[in-house]
Amino acid sequence: MSDQRATDVPTYDAAVVGAGFAGLYMLYRLRGLGYRVRVFEAGDGVGGTWYWNRYPGARCDVESVDYSYSFSPELEQEWTWSERYAAQPEILEYLNFVADRFDLRRDIQFETRIASATFDEGLHRWALVTTAGESVTATFCVMATGCLSATKLPEIEGVESFAGPTYHTGRWPHEPVDFSGQRVGMIGTGSSAIQSIPHIASQAERLVVFQRTANFAVPAWNRPLDPDYIAAVKADYPARRELCRQSQAGFPPSPVEGNALEATEEEREKRFQEHWDDGGLRFLGSFADILIDQAANDTVSEFIRQKIRATVKDPVTAEILSPKGYPCGTKRLCVDIGYFETYNRDNVTLVDLRANPIERITPTSIVTADETYEIDTLVLATGFDAMTGALTQIDITGVAGQKLKEKWRNGPRAYLGLVAAGFPNMFLITGPGSPSVLSNMVVSIEQHVDWVVDCLEKMRENGQTEAAADLAAEDGWVEMVAQLADFTLFPKANSWYVGANVEGKPRVFMPYIGGVQTYRQHCDLVALGGYEGFSFS
Ligand code: NA7
């Protein structure tokens, strides 16, 4: 399986870090072409995000028929999704099915976390060391580490002193958690909280939700998938996949016609209502100017606030839940199932941290400026060090001893969001500077993996073993990514897209916002032009 050199360090063509959607597909592609590949996965199973995020109500916010691999027509026909938005157990089952179907497990080393990766300039190889001290080397290193995998604890005094059970939504236990009879405190109201709150509230004796920022959410209208619908999707999968690849966000778009500000109030309301009734992330496509014009955005923001006021019976709670102060969609839009209705329950209390901040956590309570909330269980739905956290947690050293963490001190930099200059032969799947979190991740992952594999094949043909991004190309790309973001309302929000949730993180809008279709064209043109912006040796 691997070359054993005199040093006894196993040697591979490619080391892949992570066995989620990206790592599995990378392994499948490279092994199929005869590369010797080893995947390193911290968990004891495949799945990545879907392995770790097991909180009650965890569900994808992209429709399941689109949030799935397109590389195998057989797989597409063999697998049948049960719901419009698949829940975490079903997605994990799918990824396990894929791992078995393509016999992937034999090249995955589970329960193995990579601690460091160092480029050996003499040997033109990466040397990886695990946290257990095991070493391997590989010509290519593929970081399939995920964009939302480095969990983030809140910087609250005493958080670690809490004596009862504490759960982070992104590191949920494998056994179900029973909240019956419990007084639960939940910190955070992002997507993970919005999905889990209705479930926890229905079990717990009391749930107190601590909200720092209210979030916009649109209904999922989740439902079992009708067999006729499934049959129609399966019959037309190639065309549907192509539509996704050629779209802005990686799922079939709704036709966007016109600007909100050019429509009459009645026309706007009608369009918003139609999109609301359709549900899900397509809501933001109601009009073309929503994410670029503040006045247009105000109209859609107010539409959602009205929906919240109409749902939540207590007007004070409704007002606290109504997002203000940032444009709708510029923090990740949430897709909800019964979230706002949950606040009509007698056992649920909302605490507005803007008015009444948390001062500290004690072994038995959460103490705010005004009140002490005694709790038995603490749930932290406080998110992730997004896009860069999983990479900077690894001690990555490139050419001339440069550390990736140091290079990215003022914000992440990578050509095409794929390769950082000074770090040859290291590929960042859905890295910062690519559409990644602004898209259907599976579509973006397949595009990145296919592009990288084509690049490696071209190198093999030419007898080359080292690919490096040019600094000038990287600078140009990073500048363009920033300019595109500045054309939109996105930089206005304190979101994890700009790193605002992590103290000391530089404020840089990290993903490429030009859309998966345009991004794909850029990447294809680079390849067609003989890999412009890359140097090979
Ligand atoms: P998010 O979306 O980052 O949400 C984290 C939430 O936790 C958010 O409401 C934060 O408020 C809140 N938070 C974080 N730190 C604190 C402190 N110290 N005090 C109070 N509240 C805090 O993470 P999710 O896991 O929900 O979702 C991540 C993505 O996964 C999601 O967008 C989907 O793409 C899937 P803030 O808004 O920062 O004021």
Side-chain angles (χ1 to χ4, degrees):
M1 194 157 79
S2 63
D3 290 342
Q4 296 284 323
R5 304 238 167 138
T7 56
D8 260 358
V9 173
T11 295
Y12 300 94
D13 295 321
V16 177
V17 186
F21 266 99
L24 292 179
Y25 183 46
M26 185 53 95
L27 169 59
Y28 168 81
R29 284 295 322 269
L30 288 178
R31 198 168 69 186
L33 291 164
Y35 291 81
R36 287 160 306 132
V37 188
R38 187 76 164 167
V39 179
F40 299 93
E41 167 54 53
D44 68 3
V46 300
T49 287
W50 302 106
Y51 172 92
W52 297 105
N53 286 266
R54 296 167 185 249
Y55 59 83
R59 204 175 274 283
C60 189
D61 58 7
V62 173
E63 293 185 35
S64 41
V65 294
D66 300 315
Y67 191 80
S68 50
Y69 290 118
S70 72
F71 69 82
S72 162
E74 296 79 21
L75 173 65
E76 277 174 343
Q77 297 303 319
E78 287 164 22
W79 184 263
T80 298
W81 294 103
S82 69
E83 290 179 279
R84 182 184 190 190
Y85 294 99
Q88 174 269 336
E90 190 174 13
I91 304 174
L92 189 59
E93 197 185 324
Y94 170 75
L95 288 168
N96 274 289
F97 177 80
V98 170
D100 293 333
R101 169 81 172 68
F102 299 101
D103 188 21
L104 299 177
R105 285 179 215 278
R106 64 184 155 95
D107 289 322
I108 306 174
Q109 188 170 323
F110 292 106
E111 296 181 85
T112 306
R113 189 175 280 281
I114 297 298
S116 68
T118 308
F119 188 66
D120 184 322
E121 289 172 66
L123 293 174
H124 306 274
R125 308 180 64 77
W126 283 94
L128 289 85
V129 181
T130 70
T131 51
E134 188 191 344
S135 296
V136 297
T137 75
T139 309
F140 301 103
C141 179
V142 179
M143 290 300 186
T145 39
C147 294
L148 294 160
S149 41
T151 49
K152 166 96 190 28
L153 295 177
E155 289 97 3
I156 298 174
E157 187 194 319
V159 65
E160 271 151 31
S161 73
F162 184 68
T166 303
Y167 306 104
H168 190 291
T169 45
R171 285 287 177 279
W172 204 261
H174 288 206
E175 323 66 55
V177 177
D178 184 7
F179 290 102
S180 312
Q182 300 280 300
R183 295 165 302 169
V184 181
M186 151 89 71
I187 301 179
T189 48
S191 184
S192 303
I194 284 178
Q195 290 187 336
S196 55
I197 281 170
H199 293 263
I200 297 174
S202 70
Q203 247 190 23
E205 181 187 309
R206 168 144 299 279
L207 172 64
V208 186
V209 178
F210 296 84
Q211 173 190 280
R212 186 163 72 182
T213 311
N215 260 298
F216 290 98
V218 294
W221 307 126
N222 188 45
R223 53 181 175 263
L225 289 177
D226 177 67
D228 291 344
Y229 172 77
I230 290 281
V233 169
K234 286 190 176 185
D236 195 36
Y237 244 142
R240 187 173 180 111
R241 300 299 196 183
E242 196 48 28
L243 193 64
C244 293
R245 291 185 197 110
Q246 300 305 330
S247 68
Q248 167 77 19
F251 47 80
S254 53
V256 181
E257 283 159 28
N259 291 328
L261 293 184
E262 285 156 13
T264 64
E265 202 175 326
E266 294 71 42
E267 285 166 345
R268 268 201 303 267
E269 286 292 305
K270 183 168 176 287
R271 181 83 63 86
F272 289 151
Q273 186 61 47
E274 283 163 8
H275 279 71
W276 185 266
D277 293 341
D278 180 33
L281 296 173
R282 267 196 294 270
F283 182 78
L284 286 175
S286 309
F287 287 100
D289 52 354
I290 284 177
L291 290 169
I292 50 176
D293 187 311
Q294 183 63 60
N297 194 282
D298 289 343
T299 65
V300 79
S301 299
E302 190 50 29
F303 179 87
I304 297 186
R305 287 193 286 263
Q306 291 294 359
K307 292 288 186 194
I308 296 170
R309 289 175 195 128
T311 306
V312 179
K313 290 186 184 137
D314 173 41
V316 176
T317 305
E319 219 36 53
I320 299 170
L321 286 168
S322 297
K324 294 172 204 88
Y326 66 95
C328 173
T330 57
K331 278 164 90 83
R332 173 85 172 203
L333 182 67
C334 300
V335 178
D336 87 288
I337 302 176
Y339 173 63
F340 294 110
E341 288 86 340
T342 301
Y343 290 92
N344 294 332
R345 296 176 66 105
D346 291 337
N347 68 335
V348 178
T349 306
L350 178 67
V351 178
D352 177 9
L353 297 182
R354 303 269 165 186
N356 193 15
I358 297 178
E359 289 189 339
R360 63 186 182 282
I361 295 177
T362 74
T364 58
S365 65
I366 298 180
V367 181
T368 65
D370 288 357
E371 207 167 328
T372 295
Y373 297 87
E374 294 291 336
I375 55 166
D376 305 305
T377 301
L378 177 61
V379 178
L380 303 173
T382 45
F384 302 88
D385 180 353
M387 303 204 70
T388 55
L391 292 163
T392 54
Q393 271 177 2
I394 303 172
D395 182 14
I396 301 175
T397 312
V399 170
Q402 189 184 22
K403 301 278 184 192
L404 188 74
K405 202 172 173 175
E406 191 51 32
K407 177 184 166 83
W408 285 6
R409 194 158 37 109
N410 297 321
R413 308 184 73 78
Y415 181 39
L416 300 176
L418 254 173
V419 181
F423 296 79
N425 286 3
M426 176 174 279
F427 297 95
L428 314 175
I429 303 303
T430 63
S434 75
S436 59
V437 291
L438 295 178
S439 67
N440 174 350
M441 290 299 287
V442 189
V443 171
S444 288
I445 283 167
E446 285 192 328
Q447 184 256 335
H448 260 186
V449 169
D450 289 340
W451 192 94
V452 170
V453 170
D454 287 350
C455 177
L456 300 197
E457 282 296 273
K458 187 54 90 192
M459 288 171 71
R460 186 148 77 166
E461 244 172 73
N462 296 338
Q464 297 155 332
T465 54
E466 190 174 309
D470 301 338
L471 194 57
E474 178 181 89
D475 288 346
W477 184 259
V478 171
E479 196 184 325
M480 188 188 64
V481 169
Q483 280 172 357
L484 281 173
D486 286 341
F487 180 67
T488 74
L489 299 173
F490 275 88
K492 286 191 166 193
N494 290 325
S495 65
W496 52 257
Y497 296 134
V498 298
N501 63 327
V502 178
E503 233 171 65
K505 197 165 172 175
R507 193 181 175 98
V508 172
F509 188 81
M510 294 180 282
Y512 168 91
I513 207 170
V516 299
Q517 174 200 30
T518 316
Y519 177 77
R520 179 183 295 270
Q521 282 169 6
H522 272 293
C523 292
D524 290 350
L525 282 175
V526 165
L528 278 171
Y531 293 91
E532 209 180 315
F534 287 93
S535 305
F536 296 95
S537 55

